[in-house]
Amino acid sequence: MPGWTVIAMSSNRNTPCLARDNLHKGTIMTMKLKLSLVALCAASLAACGSGTGGEGTRNSVRAVGSSTVYPFAKVVAENFVRSNPDFGSPIIESTGTGGGIELFCKGVGADTPDIANASRRMKASEFETCQANGVTEISEIQVGLDGIAFASSKGGITMNLTPEIVYRALAANPFGKPQTAKTWHDVDPSLPNKPILVYGPPSTSGTRDALKELILIPGCDSNAEMKALKDSDKDQHEKLCTELRSDGAYVDQGEQDNLIVQKIEGNQDAIGVFGYSYLEENLDKVQGLTMNGVAPTYENIASFSYPGARPLFIYVKNAHLDAIRGLREFVGEWAKSWGRDGPLAKIGLVASPDDVAARSQAASTAFPALSAADLK
């Protein structure tokens, strides 16, 4: 390092070579001080390396993940820039929850994201991957609620769905039998005699995971044999309950939920599956379909009376908190935005219950570390 004196050490009791002769005490003390400062500097550099990686630091916060959380994160980023003009504009990427957490868990350093946006909770297996890659300190913060909305175009197909109907219509092998339904009427005689055509999220999306957990599995478990299968053969239960048909009745539309809105807007017989916020944003174009007779509304999601209600999260890499300029402040901007009367509610975010919101508020400044036990 420029300006530092390199002092060789002998192998004999770690005594400085130059001090082995009759050096004055003052000289020895000066050398020891230099050695201490060198060690301190090395330790500081090591700490910086562990927080920012081999590529140094970054001038902007980087968040990746859920397409559902994406529009909320963009608003937070825009407000953050207005409130903090001295910081760089945050980089927000829509990669899907699974893809975002995978990037987040690759390690620490400026070449990895600071935040993973998620429309479901981190899986235990993902947490283990993070730990194995050195991402050992992670803070989980629930930013609000959303709902998995089923919708059709204005004036298009309408029906009262149930988890069982959705499962029987979309499963590759409903209740372990070949999929033969071509129309909704084939699934249930009370439903329209219209072809089954559903545009929905891909396998990397948290919305897809929530669709499985909140709708498909409950629909599958309405059958006693399938429910019993969960105890006897968990893997087979997972396959039969969550594998979707691949004959064109379910169309994976990618991570852009706005494309799903466009698809169903152009086809009155089509149904789309996306986050509630996209439904609320496009009520002039599409209409929500009821689930168990309950409409996907703010109040019904907030009370969890709507079957598709789900929490939304951000995961923060604590090793980056002091290494990436503005990261703490960006999380603080989230906390200022997620209230019932905040800017995110205006674009469809449903505020968390009061007790959860209080925990999230505390976590946004204290950054408690998530543990494996928390995810069980």
Side-chain angles (χ1 to χ4, degrees):
M1 296 178 60
W4 287 94
T5 303
V6 179
I7 302 173
M9 303 291 292
S10 79
S11 59
N12 182 14
R13 296 191 307 276
N14 293 327
T15 305
C17 294
L18 297 179
R20 295 173 70 181
D21 296 322
N22 296 324
L23 296 177
H24 294 295
K25 289 183 179 180
T27 303
I28 295 175
M29 289 299 293
T30 300
M31 293 171 65
K32 285 184 177 180
L33 176 60
K34 286 185 177 181
L35 285 170
S36 297
L37 289 173
V38 169
L40 179 60
C41 181
S44 297
L45 289 172
C48 289
S50 67
T52 61
E55 297 183 12
T57 188
R58 229 185 306 107
N59 290 325
S60 298
V61 172
R62 182 185 173 205
V64 299
S66 168
S67 61
T68 298
V69 179
Y70 177 79
F72 304 131
K74 289 290 286 183
V75 169
V76 172
E78 290 164 4
N79 292 339
F80 169 81
V81 170
R82 281 192 285 269
S83 302
N84 302 274
D86 294 336
F87 291 128
S89 180
I91 302 164
I92 313 296
E93 301 171 47
S94 177
T95 63
T97 295
I101 291 177
E102 182 179 357
L103 289 169
F104 179 85
C105 289
K106 281 187 179 296
V108 295
D111 56 340
T112 65
D114 313 308
I115 293 175
N117 300 325
S119 55
R120 59 156 171 82
R121 202 170 194 202
M122 180 179 281
K123 298 176 181 177
S125 59
E126 292 168 333
F127 181 79
E128 290 172 4
T129 299
C130 264
Q131 299 295 299
N133 291 337
V135 187
T136 56
E137 298 286 321
I138 303 166
S139 290
E140 176 187 77
I141 303 174
Q142 183 173 318
V143 297
L145 304 173
D146 186 46
I148 306 169
F150 290 76
S152 62
S153 65
K154 280 283 190 182
I157 188 171
T158 61
M159 60 183 117
N160 176 39
L161 297 170
T162 67
E164 182 181 352
I165 286 173
V166 174
Y167 170 72
R168 288 174 60 196
L170 299 184
N173 299 102
F175 305 129
K177 300 175 182 178
Q179 177 59 269
T180 59
K182 301 296 183 184
T183 69
W184 291 102
H185 185 78
D186 293 337
V187 176
D188 188 307
S190 68
L191 301 178
N193 191 21
K194 298 285 188 179
I196 298 169
L197 177 58
V198 177
Y199 292 97
S203 58
T204 55
S205 171
T207 302
R208 176 78 159 262
D209 290 323
L211 173 64
K212 292 178 182 180
E213 295 297 324
L214 300 174
I215 306 297
L216 294 176
I217 290 177
C220 178
D221 287 346
S222 64
N223 178 284
E225 291 182 10
M226 291 296 104
K227 192 171 184 178
L229 184 63
K230 180 184 276 188
D231 295 326
S232 62
D233 192 335
K234 187 176 181 180
D235 290 341
Q236 183 67 358
H237 176 270
E238 173 81 10
K239 179 179 174 64
L240 291 179
C241 289
T242 65
E243 184 179 355
L244 298 181
R245 59 196 297 177
S246 58
D247 58 358
Y250 180 87
V251 182
D252 176 335
Q253 198 54 51
E255 294 290 353
Q256 300 302 318
D257 289 357
N258 279 322
L259 291 180
I260 300 178
V261 172
Q262 293 172 21
K263 287 289 186 180
I264 64 174
E265 186 186 6
N267 185 341
Q268 292 202 331
D269 292 339
I271 288 176
V273 183
F274 40 67
Y276 162 74
S277 60
Y278 285 89
L279 171 63
E280 184 168 275
E281 276 186 18
N282 295 280
L283 285 175
D284 58 328
K285 304 172 185 175
V286 300
Q287 58 190 358
L289 303 180
T290 60
M291 180 71 65
N292 288 345
V294 180
T297 65
Y298 186 103
E299 292 74 17
N300 291 338
I301 292 168
S303 67
F304 286 92
S305 59
Y306 178 70
R310 58 173 174 169
L312 303 177
F313 302 92
I314 60 172
Y315 289 92
V316 182
K317 192 173 293 180
N318 290 2
H320 287 197
L321 284 170
D322 295 319
I324 302 299
R325 190 166 178 266
L327 180 55
R328 289 180 183 272
E329 291 82 359
F330 180 68
V331 175
E333 193 69 39
W334 266 106
K336 292 193 296 183
S337 305
W338 62 43
R340 178 175 283 270
D341 299 320
L344 300 184
K346 293 180 174 62
I347 60 168
L349 184 74
V350 177
S352 296
D354 290 344
D355 59 333
V356 177
R359 288 198 298 272
S360 295
Q361 191 72 34
S364 71
T365 56
F367 297 99
L370 186 68
S371 72
D374 295 327
L375 298 173
K376 291 181 179 178

